[in-house]
């Protein structure tokens, strides 16, 4: 777990084992994420670039796939996603369960830390959403 500061550090010290720490996109936080809207202009930007370079796409830190992965698969792209959060991956499968099989067949999701993910697969486009870049800024070594 990351280092705690200020009032959060005090709460942890006072309550000790009675405090449960969760990763940012686990548990209830994945529900909050699922209710957030994506960024239509950012999606249009990725889509425009994907049309120019090819059909094989990788989304790094894809979350539940709702913002980019699933919409791109619906447009005919083959999309792989990498996500570390088990809760987000569960939400991905909940969302894709209702999709036509031909759309589901165009998507794969892998649970991994994006800084440690390794593949031999080649992609025409690799996307890393702006919010993910912001999260990486907390760790200079990984960035």
């Amino acid at each position: 777990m990351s280092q705690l500061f200020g009032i959060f550090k005090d709460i942890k010290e006072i309550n000790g084992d009675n405090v449960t720490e969760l990763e940012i996109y686990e548990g209830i936080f994945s529900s909050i994420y699922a209710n957030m809207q994506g960024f239509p202009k950012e999606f249009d930007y990725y889509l425009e670039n994907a049309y120019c370079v090819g059909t094989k796409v990788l989304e790094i830190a894809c979350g539940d796939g709702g913002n980019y992965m699933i919409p791109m698969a619906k447009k005919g792209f083959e999309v792989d996603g990498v996500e570390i959060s088990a809760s987000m991956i569960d939400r991905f499968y909940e969302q894709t369960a209702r999709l036509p099989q031909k759309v589901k067949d165009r998507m794969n999701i892998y649970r991994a830390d994006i800084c440690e993910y390794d593949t031999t697969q080649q992609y025409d486009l690799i996307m890393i959403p702006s919010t993910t870049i912001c999260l990486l800024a907390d760790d200079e070594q990984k960035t």
Side-chain angles (χ1 to χ4, degrees):
M1 187 57 48
S2 61
Q3 187 174 356
L4 300 175
F5 298 95
I7 191 169
F8 300 107
K9 183 177 180 182
D10 296 340
I11 291 170
K12 178 67 175 179
E13 287 175 3
I14 292 168
N15 293 293
D17 293 335
N18 294 326
V19 174
T20 302
E21 296 180 54
L22 297 173
E23 291 295 327
I24 190 167
Y25 292 117
E26 293 296 333
I28 193 166
F29 297 108
S30 69
S31 300
I32 293 167
Y33 177 90
N35 291 316
M36 295 171 59
Q37 296 296 317
F39 302 97
K41 288 184 181 179
E42 190 171 332
F43 174 73
D44 291 344
Y45 175 79
Y46 289 133
L47 189 60
E48 181 180 324
N49 281 279
Y51 280 129
C52 292
V53 297
T55 61
K56 190 71 178 157
V57 177
L58 172 66
E59 182 181 355
I60 296 174
C62 62
D64 65 3
N67 289 334
Y68 305 105
M69 259 185 93
I70 294 170
M72 290 191 88
K74 286 180 177 179
K75 299 259 185 209
F77 291 92
E78 295 176 38
V79 188
D80 289 348
V82 177
E83 175 58 46
I84 197 168
S85 166
S87 292
M88 294 303 246
I89 292 173
D90 289 345
R91 288 191 170 281
F92 169 81
Y93 286 117
E94 288 170 12
Q95 290 189 93
T96 58
R98 299 182 299 270
L99 295 175
Q101 190 62 45
K102 66 180 183 177
V103 175
K104 288 193 271 190
D105 289 345
R106 290 195 278 267
M107 293 183 289
N108 297 296
I109 192 165
Y110 303 100
R111 184 165 187 215
D113 181 322
I114 62 173
C115 295
E116 297 173 10
Y117 180 69
D118 189 22
T119 182
T120 58
Q121 178 67 50
Q122 294 191 348
Y123 296 94
D124 300 311
L125 177 68
I126 299 174
M127 307 181 314
I128 183 166
S130 58
T131 52
T132 301
I133 293 170
C134 295
L135 292 173
L136 289 175
D138 289 344
D139 188 329
E140 288 182 24
Q141 184 178 3
K142 284 186 176 182
T143 304

